[in-house]
Amino acid sequence: MIRLFSHYVSPHLLLQMVRDFLTLWGVSVVAAMLLGPNGTALAAPVLLGFALSGLIVLVAFVVGLYLRSPAESTLSVWLRAAVCCVTCMVMVVIAISLASTEMVPSKYYVLTLLAATALVITYRAYSAAYLAPRDRSAYRVLVLGTGQSAQAVTEALLTADRHAKIVGY
């Protein structure tokens, strides 16, 4: 577990988020290079893709596509993915409509970003619905230390992951 802002996050979750971010940003960079007119500055579309990739991953995290409860049904995962996809696509369209013309190389750049967004969210929902272990049993954690600090670590760990079982101090 990695501690971020007094919350414990699994490294696997961070890797998923980083992979999705880099996929979306990479698609936006390649699309800007291939679909933009020759001689166009790439800095503006690359920065736009960076910002949109971060927003899309943030929305997917807030909607809960990265964390699935074992008792959650497959239908609810796909419904959350649909909400996330619609929200992200609306955000992309609004951000691009507010951007200046030099930030958007062509209409195909916009379509590429929308397609990449839909594909990443669909893959994330598929992996949460079918690839994640369904019967995730509790795993045991030994907290090193005693006193108030060990109690604070225990409380933070149990609120971050309810499947953890504290076996001792």
Side-chain angles (χ1 to χ4, degrees):
M1 296 292 230
I2 299 170
R3 185 175 178 173
L4 288 176
F5 305 114
S6 73
H7 296 289
Y8 288 93
V9 180
S10 72
H12 181 68
L13 173 72
L14 285 178
L15 282 175
Q16 286 179 346
M17 293 174 74
V18 167
R19 184 177 58 223
D20 289 349
F21 173 80
L22 290 177
T23 300
L24 288 167
W25 191 37
V27 165
S28 73
V29 169
V30 170
M33 289 189 314
L34 295 178
L35 300 174
N38 293 337
T40 303
L42 287 178
V46 167
L47 288 176
L48 179 67
F50 186 84
L52 288 175
S53 300
L55 283 174
I56 290 166
V57 170
L58 181 67
V59 168
F61 180 74
V62 168
V63 169
L65 286 182
Y66 292 103
L67 300 172
R68 180 184 181 198
S69 169
E72 185 176 17
S73 70
T74 304
L75 177 64
S76 67
V77 171
W78 285 107
L79 287 175
R80 282 189 293 123
V83 167
C84 182
C85 194
V86 169
T87 304
C88 289
M89 288 195 177
V90 167
M91 280 179 15
V92 167
V93 169
I94 289 172
I96 288 178
S97 66
L98 293 175
S100 63
T101 55
E102 64 263 2
M103 291 187 85
V104 182
S106 70
K107 66 179 180 180
Y108 298 112
Y109 175 77
V110 177
L111 294 175
T112 304
L113 286 180
L114 292 173
T117 301
L119 288 174
V120 165
I121 292 172
T122 302
Y123 176 73
R124 187 56 47 219
Y126 175 78
S127 65
Y130 300 112
L131 300 179
R134 292 192 185 269
D135 56 342
R136 182 177 168 198
S137 59
Y139 58 92
R140 301 180 321 169
V141 177
L142 175 65
V143 177
L144 296 177
T146 58
Q148 296 289 355
S149 60
Q151 185 65 29
V153 168
T154 301
E155 290 172 4
L157 180 65
L158 290 177
T159 57
D161 190 359
R162 65 176 179 264
H163 301 291
K165 180 181 175 186
I166 306 299
V167 293
Y169 295 96

